[in-house]
Amino acid sequence: VITTRCSLRCRECANLMPYFHNPENYETDYLENTLDKLLEYIDEIHELRVLGGEPFVHPNLDKILSNILQHPQIKKIVIFTNGTILPAKSSLIQILKNKRVSITISDYGDYSKEKINIIKLCKKNNIKCSVNFIPLWLSFGNLETRKRSKKELIRQFQRCNNICKSYLEGKIYWCERQASGNKLGFVNGNDYVDIMNSHLSRSEMQELIRQYCSNTTYITACLQCDKGTDSCKEVPIAEQLPKGGSL
């Protein structure tokens, strides 16, 4: 996660971006330091996803990508965009041409107003690009704490079947919702891996990461989420909050 700023205000945002009343772009040096620290313990990352918010709102995305590309352990870099901002910075376009970098456009219909122009830009510059169209979203519900038994939480966790982990402010989280919820102070519990503030040896930290990523029970954030339960309902994609409206 490189920014909590976004060009949209989606009511059902799984990453909870509308809850950030003072969104920010993370400093380039800070992002580089947290990535360097993570890679002290990780031998290889098959796919690193650059997320927000909206990654293209970050003014230094070119420098961020350049820093990431310095690490051969990272095999593939995918920028996930909502298709609202057309990259125009020449240095950024040059970096996007790298064969290890690609763009995935989350197609939100009319809200993704720059989708066609992004596709044209990518074709012109031989940039890898794909479009991910999802006709409906799932609502993960509000952030109130649910009353669920341990058995129900384990079943929810298994049905959720989240694969990709989130890395925010030097901490590994099970998912983006948990990461954002923890930063916002809505999600309780310390079931994450703090890479930056550890006195563990390399082998001890690697084992901790291994155990965390192979968790088969549940995390405390499941109590504030409906994904993986029968309460998780389909909703229209990217429904926007009214201007000035809040959650």
Side-chain angles (χ1 to χ4, degrees):
V1 178
I2 66 168
T3 181
T4 53
R5 295 182 61 211
C6 194
S7 52
L8 295 176
R9 298 190 71 246
C10 302
R11 185 184 299 276
E12 298 291 346
C13 177
N15 295 8
L16 306 177
M17 289 302 117
Y19 285 91
F20 287 94
H21 299 302
N22 296 295
E24 61 182 320
N25 294 319
Y26 288 104
E27 295 291 336
T28 307
D29 289 346
Y30 175 76
L31 292 170
E32 184 176 6
N33 290 338
T34 57
L35 180 61
D36 286 347
K37 191 67 175 178
L38 176 66
L39 292 174
E40 289 181 16
Y41 309 112
I42 303 294
D43 296 323
E44 180 178 304
I45 296 177
H46 173 67
E47 179 177 300
L48 178 70
R49 297 182 175 184
V50 180
L51 306 173
E54 167 53 46
F56 284 130
V57 306
H58 201 299
N60 295 320
L61 180 57
D62 54 340
K63 295 178 182 178
I64 293 168
L65 293 174
S66 179
N67 289 336
I68 296 173
L69 285 166
Q70 299 303 311
H71 300 284
Q73 305 103 301
I74 300 172
K75 304 305 179 183
K76 183 163 59 172
I77 304 159
V78 185
I79 303 161
F80 278 77
T81 175
N82 59 26
T84 61
I85 298 175
L86 178 66
K89 197 174 180 180
S90 59
S91 57
L92 174 57
I93 293 172
Q94 191 62 37
I95 293 273
L96 293 173
K97 294 179 182 180
N98 190 288
K99 298 304 180 183
R100 288 162 61 199
V101 179
S102 66
I103 296 172
T104 293
I105 303 171
S106 297
D107 186 357
Y108 299 154
D110 292 341
Y111 295 121
S112 301
K113 58 185 180 181
E114 293 290 349
K115 176 187 67 178
I116 300 301
N117 289 328
I118 294 172
I119 293 171
K120 289 179 179 178
L121 175 75
C122 291
K123 286 183 177 179
K124 179 181 178 181
N125 291 279
N126 198 26
I127 297 168
K128 294 179 183 177
C129 180
S130 63
V131 179
N132 184 22
F133 176 71
I134 303 173
L136 291 168
W137 275 3
L138 293 175
S139 172
F140 297 168
N142 59 37
L143 289 166
E144 294 179 1
T145 301
R146 283 70 158 162
K147 293 182 178 179
R148 294 186 184 127
S149 67
K150 182 176 180 179
K151 183 177 180 180
E152 288 173 326
L153 288 168
I154 292 173
R155 181 170 182 267
Q156 173 190 356
F157 189 78
Q158 292 171 342
R159 291 176 65 186
C160 175
N161 195 32
N162 182 67
I163 298 173
C164 297
K165 305 301 175 281
S166 184
Y167 191 53
L168 174 65
E169 296 185 349
K171 299 180 180 71
I172 299 174
Y173 292 94
W174 192 262
C175 63
E176 293 90 347
R177 183 178 173 96
Q178 180 201 17
S180 294
N182 186 275
K183 178 173 172 58
L184 289 162
F186 291 124
V187 173
N188 298 318
N190 59 353
D191 41 359
Y192 51 79
V193 179
D194 191 344
I195 297 293
M196 304 301 290
N197 296 316
S198 174
H199 301 292
L200 299 176
S201 68
R202 184 175 188 271
S203 60
E204 289 172 333
M205 176 57 79
Q206 286 181 319
E207 182 58 27
L208 183 62
I209 294 171
R210 210 173 279 117
Q211 289 178 3
Y212 183 77
C213 292
S214 59
N215 181 15
T216 57
T217 54
Y218 60 89
I219 57 174
T220 54
C222 295
L223 285 165
Q224 292 161 285
C225 181
D226 289 333
K227 189 182 180 186
T229 73
D230 293 337
S231 298
C232 189
K233 305 298 183 184
E234 292 182 338
V235 293
I237 60 168
E239 181 182 3
Q240 296 296 290
L241 288 163
K243 192 173 181 179
S246 60
L247 291 166

